[in-house]
Amino acid sequence: MIRRMLACGLAAGILAFGAQPASPAAPRPEDRTAPAAFAAPEKERAPRGGPAEATSTCEEAKEAAGGNRPYGCITRISSVRQADAASGSLRAAAGVPLPTNNCTGDEDGYWYATRTWMCEIDPNVHYTYYDQNNKWLGAATFAVAQQLDLDRLSLTWKETDQVKMIAREGTLPANLSISWTTECKSACAPNSTKVWEEQPVGLGQNLEKTYSVTNQPSQKYDFIDHTYKLDIHAAGTIPLTEPITWSGSRFRCDSKQALGNTSGCVVAWFTPTLSVSRAKFGSSADMIAWAQKNLSGHWGLKGTGKPLSRLQNAQQQKDNRRRVCETAWTPDQTVAEVTCDEFPFASSYESGALNGIQNGSECAQVKAVQKDSTGVLATDWPTVTTIGTVTGKEVCVRGHIPSSLNTGVGSYYVKLIREARLADKDEFWVQVTA
């Protein structure tokens, strides 16, 4: 979001699951396709604040002009508080549409994201032009649009920036132009990209440019946060104040940290959702849904419980599995292909073994219920029923579940880890679907 609200220039303004999961394998080329383990991702708004309010009324530009020359200034007024009604009517009268990207429909100056892209559209950048006597001469409204497309299997990403004059009135300098610079810290190459420099712009003209930036290879997690600088000014004039600046496009890159032998970048603050289908996983999916509804932890249930978080340490996963599923366990042989299934997953920090239990008998106990004999396990064993007394305060559930249903959920979790590039302690939701 834009932080500095003012700029000007001479003559114009400057502007698991029960079965132990295998470690995620190195992604294959086909893994770049749409992730099947995800529930349909809906973009989330960035948690770090909202659009900044204007902090100046062009007094700084007026003072710098010294009362003996025309001047211009830029302000950004939040659309959240209904900025400048006159500008809005002007834009409607001009019939100029806003620039478009994945944030179309959310043109409020906030950053939005999924795990693999970020965007924002800000329609309220205002340029105002005054004469040397501080008399208003004219004004223009600009929309700024940005989108970053990340690659979970590459340290290079693409950014597409747009600037568009969407309304104007009165008299403006004939040579009004745009300058834009994107800057990144030392982890990036290049560190600075001049997107436009004194690029002429007129009503309805959409400036658009796509460019690439690369995270310098490292053996750690790098958190990338760009700074953007925008000038709107009369080309060739001398700047009187600094350009407006903003940031907020924060994401994470790593090399061989979240996933072995691969490098990539994701929006770490976006929480993905593991989709577990009853049609595919029958009683294993029903056990998760039962626990989310009936046990006080409501693990992974969005809107009610807290998300789960990935546990990356393989030895700790095995230890968790052993404590929950290999202590006080007698498999119910009336269940086909019976195995011990558990939730929360052994490869999550929410595992019962990390939250106080000494053996699996302290979990709530359930078993698969047979409904049919078609030979399709998800159809034949679609639900669970409780065994013994359940208080609702148990920190885990342990189930007698057919093996392929149990391991199927586990394989989907591994797929989510790969597709979302989940690192240790990265959070995720679990959604049971039809």
Side-chain angles (χ1 to χ4, degrees):
M1 275 52 76
I2 291 175
R3 291 173 180 166
R4 179 173 173 79
M5 311 310 306
L6 172 66
C8 66
L10 280 175
I14 302 277
L15 286 174
F17 46 105
Q20 180 62 34
S23 297
R28 303 154 296 183
E30 57 266 33
D31 289 332
R32 290 179 180 272
T33 58
F38 272 121
E42 297 181 359
K43 62 179 181 279
E44 293 181 6
R45 193 167 76 180
R48 302 198 309 164
E53 296 289 331
T55 58
S56 172
T57 57
C58 297
E59 289 302 317
E60 186 177 344
K62 176 181 175 181
E63 182 179 348
N68 55 17
R69 50 196 168 187
Y71 64 94
C73 62
I74 309 173
T75 56
R76 187 211 179 276
I77 305 176
S78 171
S79 59
V80 174
R81 66 176 183 83
Q82 182 112 33
D84 204 43
S87 172
S89 62
L90 280 171
R91 183 180 53 169
V96 177
L98 294 175
T100 60
N101 60 22
N102 287 354
C103 276
T104 295
D106 290 300
E107 299 93 346
D108 57 8
Y110 287 88
W111 283 96
Y112 291 82
T114 66
R115 196 73 175 178
T116 54
W117 54 258
M118 297 189 70
C119 62
E120 66 100 8
I121 300 176
D122 181 356
N124 287 301
V125 177
H126 300 280
Y127 171 81
T128 310
Y129 188 42
Y130 299 90
D131 71 10
Q132 64 272 21
N133 298 314
N134 304 316
K135 179 182 178 181
W136 181 93
L137 296 176
T141 301
F142 293 81
V144 173
Q146 299 172 261
Q147 181 159 323
L148 292 87
D149 291 297
L150 311 179
D151 190 333
R152 61 191 175 84
L153 298 178
S154 172
L155 294 176
T156 296
W157 60 91
K158 291 184 178 180
E159 174 155 350
T160 299
D161 297 326
Q162 301 177 70
V163 180
K164 189 175 191 178
M165 186 191 292
I166 55 177
R168 63 169 292 168
E169 61 177 326
T171 301
L172 295 175
N175 55 345
L176 203 64
S177 67
I178 296 290
S179 294
W180 176 304
T181 302
T182 298
E183 295 183 347
C184 187
K185 295 181 179 179
S186 58
C188 296
N191 298 132
S192 180
T193 300
K194 286 192 176 298
V195 182
W196 296 287
E197 190 162 14
E198 296 196 354
Q199 174 67 43
V201 63
L203 180 65
Q205 180 183 2
N206 191 59
L207 304 181
E208 181 173 354
K209 187 171 182 178
T210 299
Y211 52 96
S212 295
V213 183
T214 299
N215 176 233
Q216 299 286 9
S218 67
Q219 296 295 318
K220 59 184 178 63
Y221 294 106
D222 290 328
F223 291 89
I224 311 299
D225 197 347
H226 295 98
T227 298
Y228 303 99
K229 296 182 179 181
L230 172 65
D231 285 351
I232 302 174
H233 62 100
T237 63
I238 300 173
L240 299 179
T241 59
E242 296 294 323
I244 57 176
T245 65
W246 69 99
S247 60
S249 57
R250 185 173 175 83
F251 56 94
R252 184 187 70 204
C253 297
D254 76 90
S255 179
K256 301 179 182 179
Q257 298 297 300
L259 300 174
N261 301 317
T262 70
S263 301
C265 302
V266 292
V267 181
W269 56 259
F270 177 87
T271 306
T273 299
L274 173 64
S275 181
V276 180
S277 165
R278 290 179 181 274
K280 286 181 179 290
F281 306 120
S283 52
S284 188
D286 191 57
M287 185 185 78
I288 294 173
W290 178 88
Q292 288 182 325
K293 177 181 178 181
N294 294 288
L295 301 183
S296 59
H298 308 294
W299 307 287
L301 184 60
K302 193 172 184 178
T304 303
K306 294 182 179 180
L308 299 185
S309 49
R310 182 195 176 191
L311 171 64
Q312 192 168 3
N313 185 286
Q315 185 58 54
Q316 185 64 67
Q317 294 175 25
K318 292 178 181 178
D319 292 344
N320 292 347
R321 165 74 180 167
R322 186 178 301 112
R323 181 175 296 186
V324 174
C325 274
E326 296 180 16
T327 57
W329 165 256
T330 302
D332 187 333
Q333 299 298 337
T334 65
V335 177
E337 299 181 12
V338 63
T339 57
C340 175
D341 199 355
E342 64 181 294
F343 187 75
F345 306 139
S347 54
S348 73
Y349 280 92
E350 290 67 36
S351 167
L354 294 179
N355 288 279
I357 72 159
Q358 298 305 307
N359 65 69
S361 65
E362 298 172 47
C363 300
Q365 309 293 310
V366 300
K367 61 176 287 186
V369 176
Q370 186 174 13
K371 181 180 180 181
D372 212 333
S373 55
T374 65
V376 178
L377 285 174
T379 300
D380 295 344
W381 300 85
T383 60
V384 296
T385 188
T386 57
I387 302 171
T389 301
V390 174
T391 68
K393 296 180 180 180
E394 292 84 357
V395 299
C396 50
V397 60
R398 183 173 73 172
H400 302 254
I401 305 294
S403 174
S404 61
L405 304 182
N406 178 2
T407 58
V409 173
S411 68
Y412 256 49
Y413 178 32
V414 170
K415 193 171 185 180
L416 176 73
I417 290 171
R418 188 170 61 238
E419 291 167 347
R421 200 170 187 89
L422 290 178
D424 189 57
K425 297 184 179 179
D426 272 3
E427 296 180 334
F428 62 97
W429 301 107
V430 181
Q431 179 183 18
V432 178
T433 63

